[in-house]
Amino acid sequence: MDTLSSMRVFVRVVELGGFNAAARACAMSAAMVAKHVGHLEERTGARLLDRTTRSVRPTPEGQLYLEKVLAILEAVDEAEGTVGAENRESRGTLRVTAPVELGQDHLAPLLVDFMSRHPGIAVVADLTNRPVDLVQEGFDMAIRVAPSLDTALIGRKLATTNFRVVASADFLARHGVPDTPEMLSALPALTFSQPAPRLDWSWRRRDVHGKVRMTARLASTSADTLRKAAVAGLGVSWLPSFVCGKDIEAGLLVPILEDCDWGSLGVHVLYPHRRFVPSRLRLFIDFLAESLGDDPSGDPWAPRAEDRRVMRAGRRSA
């Protein structure tokens, strides 16, 4: 059995606190994980892990061994990254979780591009809006869309997504275009339903700010459902740019009160706190940052004004 591979498995067991989580992260069976750990214990002549029904922790000898192993793995990783880097291909399985709408519409094509560039890397992509425990469930990283992050995990902000208040042109033709935020309250709202219906829409216009109270015609946990309802002319919706940006560019949705700031969220990547970060994870994080513009304050999904002018001109000529 390859000792270096066993060391990598041992590190994952300690990081994730269990054989099953390490098995998922390493794409192998729990029995094989146990064999790797047994191989190291046989070589060292020491018990490296204390196993209970609830957790797995390093023994004092295992903790000392872990520190040495981390240094060895870091040295190996650094050597591979500096010697013949142009010919080296990262390998292994990358386990990623992301929100459904962001994952389906935007992460999926980036994953295809990334995997085409790195054929030795396999990806497990779990697209879900539920909270995912990276450590317990054995994920390498998560993409989170949130105002800020209060977590023990390591985080890096990749981009910003700004909110827009939008409706279809047909809806606005029937109901009129609001001139002030307060006028929105007379219109049916298509809004998020969790953790509670989002009925107070905050806005800022220069030095003035406030909230407008909306009445929900449709409340949903799904941003895509709200988007489709807005395109169908059922009401006004408050959506992040990565959900509605393409529809605005295509003329299917019209932004309302564009001189108002309707808030924003950060798009973050998170990964477990550890000294040894696999090269495939570093490659993917850097790839995402580059693909999204390398500007954490920038909004890569913002609808381009030039596209919208061309679209409007096309509709007038038709």
Side-chain angles (χ1 to χ4, degrees):
M1 185 167 282
D2 179 62
T3 300
L4 190 63
S5 297
S6 296
M7 289 178 175
R8 295 187 188 278
V9 172
F10 172 71
V11 169
R12 294 299 265 168
V13 171
V14 176
E15 288 177 343
L16 301 177
F19 280 48
N20 290 331
R24 290 192 295 268
C26 297
M28 63 179 63
S29 67
M32 181 57 68
V33 170
K35 287 183 179 180
H36 278 289
V37 174
H39 170 67
L40 296 179
E41 290 182 330
E42 184 178 347
R43 282 183 60 88
T44 59
R47 183 167 56 88
L48 301 176
L49 297 172
D50 279 329
R51 304 166 177 84
T52 69
T53 57
R54 293 187 170 219
S55 65
V56 175
R57 295 184 179 181
T59 62
E61 294 81 5
Q63 184 62 42
L64 178 61
Y65 184 71
L66 174 67
E67 295 173 4
K68 301 295 184 182
V69 163
L70 285 170
I72 291 170
L73 293 177
E74 287 176 345
V76 170
D77 196 55
E78 182 180 358
E80 291 179 345
T82 55
V83 179
E86 67 279 3
N87 296 319
R88 181 177 56 87
E89 177 58 51
S90 292
R91 297 187 176 276
T93 299
L94 188 65
R95 291 176 53 84
V96 180
T97 180
V100 174
E101 285 86 358
L102 183 67
Q104 290 178 338
D105 295 337
H106 303 285
L107 179 61
L110 294 180
L111 278 174
V112 171
D113 189 8
F114 177 77
M115 294 176 72
S116 297
R117 298 187 189 188
H118 303 282
I121 298 178
V123 176
V124 175
D126 182 12
L127 304 184
T128 178
N129 292 331
R130 71 175 178 84
V132 174
D133 188 317
L134 298 189
V135 174
Q136 291 300 316
E137 298 184 48
F139 281 91
D140 293 293
M141 59 162 284
I143 298 175
R144 300 270 170 85
V145 182
S148 60
L149 295 174
D150 181 12
T151 174
L153 302 175
I154 302 299
R156 175 178 172 182
K157 186 178 179 182
L158 299 178
T160 298
T161 179
N162 295 306
F163 278 91
R164 301 286 199 283
V165 173
V166 295
S168 70
D170 175 67
F171 177 89
L172 294 176
R174 288 184 281 115
H175 293 270
V177 180
D179 294 323
T180 66
E182 291 77 13
M183 293 176 67
L184 285 171
S185 63
L187 302 177
L190 315 170
T191 190
F192 292 98
S193 61
Q194 285 189 347
R198 185 64 182 264
L199 299 177
D200 290 319
W201 294 1
S202 300
W203 58 272
R204 178 180 293 273
R205 179 187 273 165
R206 293 178 287 278
D207 295 330
V208 180
H209 60 89
K211 292 182 179 180
V212 56
R213 183 72 173 179
M214 304 298 295
T215 300
R217 184 179 183 194
L218 171 65
S220 176
T221 60
S222 166
D224 191 56
T225 297
L226 300 177
R227 179 191 67 81
K228 289 176 179 176
V231 170
L234 298 183
V236 294
S237 195
W238 175 76
L239 296 171
S241 59
F242 71 84
V243 173
C244 64
K246 290 182 179 179
D247 286 331
I248 293 175
E249 289 183 0
L252 298 175
L253 290 175
V254 178
I256 302 169
L257 297 166
E258 289 189 90
D259 60 337
C260 289
D261 177 359
W262 294 99
S264 64
L265 296 172
V267 179
H268 308 262
V269 60
L270 296 175
Y271 55 96
H273 177 58
R274 55 176 177 249
R275 290 173 56 193
F276 176 69
V277 179
S279 60
R280 59 183 177 274
L281 177 56
R282 289 201 304 269
L283 282 171
F284 188 55
I285 293 173
D286 291 342
F287 169 80
L288 288 177
E290 178 185 357
S291 299
L292 297 179
D294 272 328
D295 180 7
S297 64
D299 185 346
W301 305 284
R304 292 170 291 184
E306 181 62 29
D307 288 350
R308 289 159 54 196
R309 285 196 297 270
V310 171
M311 184 64 65
R312 287 195 294 267
R315 288 201 300 270
R316 287 197 298 268
S317 63

